[in-house]
C-alpha cells in the first residue's frame, strides 16, 4: 500500500517546480527596464494610467528640471538603463567572484553604481561627473582590488590582460566624455579615422542622432549593459535561472543593433515590439526549461522503489 501511494504521488508530480522560479521571473521583468519609460511616460509627462504619486513633483526643481534632467521621461530613461546595466554586472560578479577575474568585475559594477549615485543626487553637473574624476575613482579602486588579488592569487599576464579589458569596459558609460567635448566634437588627440564622417548623412545627423557624441554615448551605454548580462550568462553554468538571463542579454543586444543601424525612429524601436520580443523569448525559454527539467513517471517510480 505504501509503495502504491509513492507511485501515485510520483505520477501526479511529473515536473519539478524550479526553486528559482521567482528569480527567473525577476530577471524577465528586469528586461523591461531599458524601455519601461516608454510605457510610463510620453513627451507630455506621465501617461493617464500611471498613478500620480507625487514623485515627479518631488524631484522637479524651480526651473522645471528633474534632478538636472530636462524632463521626468529623460530622467527615468537614464536611471533605468544604468540600473539595468549595473544589475547585470553585479550578477556576473556574484557568479564569477571565485574566478581570477572576479574582483575586476567590481570595477564595472562600481562604475554603474557611481553613475546611479550621480543621477539620484543630482550631481551630473558637478566635478564628480567629470571624466577625470571617474578615471581617478576607477584607478584607485583598481589598485586596491588589484593588490588584494595579487596578494591572494598571485600575478600572471593572463590576469593583467583580463583586468585591463574589464577596466576599459568600466569606462564605457563615460567613454563619450573621453573622446568628445560638450558640443559633440572629438578632441584633437583622437585619431581621425573617418568614422564620424562615414556615419554622418547629408543633413548632418550621425546615424539619426544630433551628433557623434550622442551616438557614442548611447552605443557604449547599451554595449556596457549587454556585456554585463552576457558575461553573467556564460559564468552561471549550472544555475537553473541561467537560460532566462538570455532575455535581458538579447534585449540589450537588440538595442545596440537598433542604434548601430539607425532604427531609432522606426517601428523596430517601438516599445511594443520590445515587449513582444521579451514575452516571446521568455515563453520559448520557459518551454525549453520545461522539457529539460521534466522527470518521467517511470524514472520517478524507479527512484522511489530504489529508496524503499
Amino acid at each position: 500500500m505504501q509503495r502504491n501511494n509513492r507511485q501515485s504521488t510520483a505520477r501526479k508530480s511529473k515536473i519539478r517546480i524550479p526553486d528559482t522560479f521567482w528569480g527567473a521571473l525577476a530577471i524577465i521583468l528586469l528586461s523591461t527596464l531599458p524601455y519601461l519609460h516608454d510605457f510610463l511616460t510620453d513627451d507630455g509627462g506621465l501617461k493617464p494610467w500611471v498613478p500620480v504619486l507625487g514623485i515627479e513633483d518631488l524631484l522637479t526643481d524651480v526651473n522645471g528640471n528633474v534632478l538636472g534632467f530636462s524632463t521626468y521621461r529623460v530622467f527615468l530613461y537614464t536611471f533605468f538603463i544604468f540600473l539595468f546595466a549595473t544589475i547585470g554586472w553585479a550578477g556576473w560578479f556574484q557568479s564569477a567572484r571565485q574566478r581570477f577575474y572576479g574582483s575586476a568585475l567590481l570595477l564595472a559594477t562600481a562604475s554603474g553604481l557611481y553613475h546611479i549615485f550621480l543621477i539620484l543626487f543630482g550631481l551630473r553637473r558637478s566635478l564628480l561627473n567629470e571624466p577625470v574624476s571617474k578615471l581617478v575613482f576607477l584607478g584607485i579602486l583598481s589598485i586596491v582590488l588589484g593588490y588584494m588579488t595579487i596578494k591572494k592569487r598571485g600575478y600572471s599576464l593572463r590576469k593583467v590582460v583580463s583586468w585591463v579589458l574589464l577596466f576599459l569596459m568600466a569606462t564605457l558609460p563615460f567613454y563619450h566624455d573621453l573622446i568628445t567635448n560638450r558640443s559633440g566634437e572629438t578632441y584633437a588627440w583622437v585619431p581621425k579615422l573617418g568614422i564620424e564622417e562615414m556615419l554622418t548623412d547629408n543633413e548632418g545627423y550621425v546615424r539619426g542622432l544630433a551628433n557623434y557624441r550622442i551616438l557614442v554615448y548611447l552605443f557604449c551605454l547599451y554595449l556596457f549593459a549587454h556585456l554585463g548580462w552576457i558575461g553573467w550568462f556564460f559564468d552561471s553554468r549550472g544555475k537553473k535561472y541561467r537560460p532566462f538571463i538570455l532575455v535581458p542579454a538579447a534585449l540589450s543586444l537588440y538595442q545596440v543593433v537598433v542604434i548601430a543601424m539607425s532604427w531609432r525612429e522606426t517601428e523596430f524601436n517601438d516599445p511594443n515590439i520590445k515587449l513582444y520580443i521579451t514575452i516571446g523569448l521568455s515563453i520559448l525559454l520557459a518551454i525549453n526549461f520545461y522539457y529539460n527539467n521534466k522527470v518521467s513517471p517511470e524514472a520517478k517510480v524507479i527512484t522511489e522503489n530504489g529508496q524503499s
Side-chain angles (χ1 to χ4, degrees):
M1 178 65 71
Q2 185 177 4
R3 179 175 299 178
N4 291 336
N5 289 338
R6 288 179 179 176
Q7 292 177 356
S8 176
T9 302
R11 289 191 177 91
K12 290 179 181 178
S13 180
K14 297 181 180 181
I15 306 300
R16 292 198 306 266
I17 298 176
D19 297 332
T20 55
F21 169 78
W22 294 111
L25 180 61
I27 290 173
I28 293 172
L29 292 177
L30 287 173
S31 303
T32 66
L33 282 177
Y35 57 91
L36 182 59
H37 67 287
D38 281 320
F39 287 105
L40 298 177
T41 65
D42 53 27
D43 293 335
L46 290 174
K47 291 189 175 180
W49 69 269
V50 180
V52 179
L53 303 176
I55 299 176
E56 181 178 1
D57 296 333
L58 179 66
L59 300 178
T60 304
D61 60 22
V62 293
N63 297 319
N65 295 323
V66 181
L67 291 180
F69 293 92
S70 57
T71 64
Y72 189 54
R73 176 181 173 85
V74 177
F75 161 73
L76 289 179
Y77 168 76
T78 309
F79 173 70
F80 284 154
I81 183 57
F82 272 107
L83 180 62
F84 173 74
T86 304
I87 291 173
W89 281 97
W92 188 4
F93 166 73
Q94 179 66 22
S95 294
R97 62 185 184 278
Q98 299 301 327
R99 296 182 179 272
F100 68 91
Y101 54 82
S103 297
L105 295 173
L106 282 174
L107 296 176
T109 306
S111 179
L113 289 173
Y114 185 94
H115 284 88
I116 291 176
F117 171 79
L118 294 178
I119 292 169
L120 293 180
F121 287 89
L123 299 174
R124 293 175 60 253
R125 299 184 184 278
S126 70
L127 179 63
L128 293 176
N129 197 34
E130 293 296 324
V132 175
S133 300
K134 298 173 185 178
L135 286 175
V136 170
F137 168 72
L138 289 177
I140 294 175
L141 187 60
S142 298
I143 293 173
V144 173
L145 294 175
Y147 172 77
M148 295 172 61
T149 301
I150 292 174
K151 188 176 180 180
K152 181 179 180 180
R153 299 178 179 273
Y155 169 90
S156 69
L157 179 61
R158 181 187 181 192
K159 294 176 183 177
V160 172
V161 172
S162 298
W163 273 75
V164 171
L165 289 176
L166 288 168
F167 180 89
L168 293 176
M169 291 180 191
T171 66
L172 284 175
F174 59 96
Y175 181 69
H176 63 289
D177 282 325
L178 298 175
I179 65 171
T180 63
N181 56 31
R182 298 288 181 181
S183 62
E185 300 175 350
T186 55
Y187 289 116
W189 65 267
V190 179
K192 302 296 182 181
L193 303 177
I195 299 177
E196 182 177 357
E197 290 76 10
M198 181 179 66
L199 299 177
T200 304
D201 60 23
N202 296 330
E203 298 179 356
Y205 290 98
V206 184
R207 305 306 290 170
L209 298 166
N211 55 52
Y212 187 58
R213 176 184 174 85
I214 299 176
L215 172 66
V216 174
Y217 168 69
L218 292 176
F219 181 83
C220 289
L221 183 54
Y222 279 100
L223 179 61
F224 176 71
H226 176 68
L227 291 173
W229 284 100
I230 200 65
W232 185 4
F233 171 78
F234 283 115
D235 264 334
S236 60
R237 292 180 178 86
K239 302 293 185 180
K240 288 186 177 181
Y241 59 77
R242 181 177 184 251
F244 297 95
I245 299 178
L246 283 175
V247 180
L251 263 295
S252 56
L253 179 60
Y254 178 84
Q255 195 64 46
V256 170
V257 173
V258 167
I259 294 170
M261 299 301 294
S262 188
W263 290 343
R264 294 182 66 256
E265 300 299 328
T266 69
E267 63 275 9
F268 291 107
N269 199 37
D270 188 279
N272 292 323
I273 297 296
K274 299 174 186 177
L275 182 61
Y276 297 152
I277 293 174
T278 302
I279 295 174
L281 186 56
S282 299
I283 292 174
L284 290 176
L285 290 171
I287 293 173
N288 178 72
F289 184 90
Y290 173 91
Y291 283 105
N292 286 338
N293 288 270
K294 184 167 64 174
V295 179
S296 65
E298 292 79 7
K300 187 71 175 178
V301 170
I302 292 174
T303 302
E304 292 288 349
N305 290 339
Q307 293 176 350
S308 61

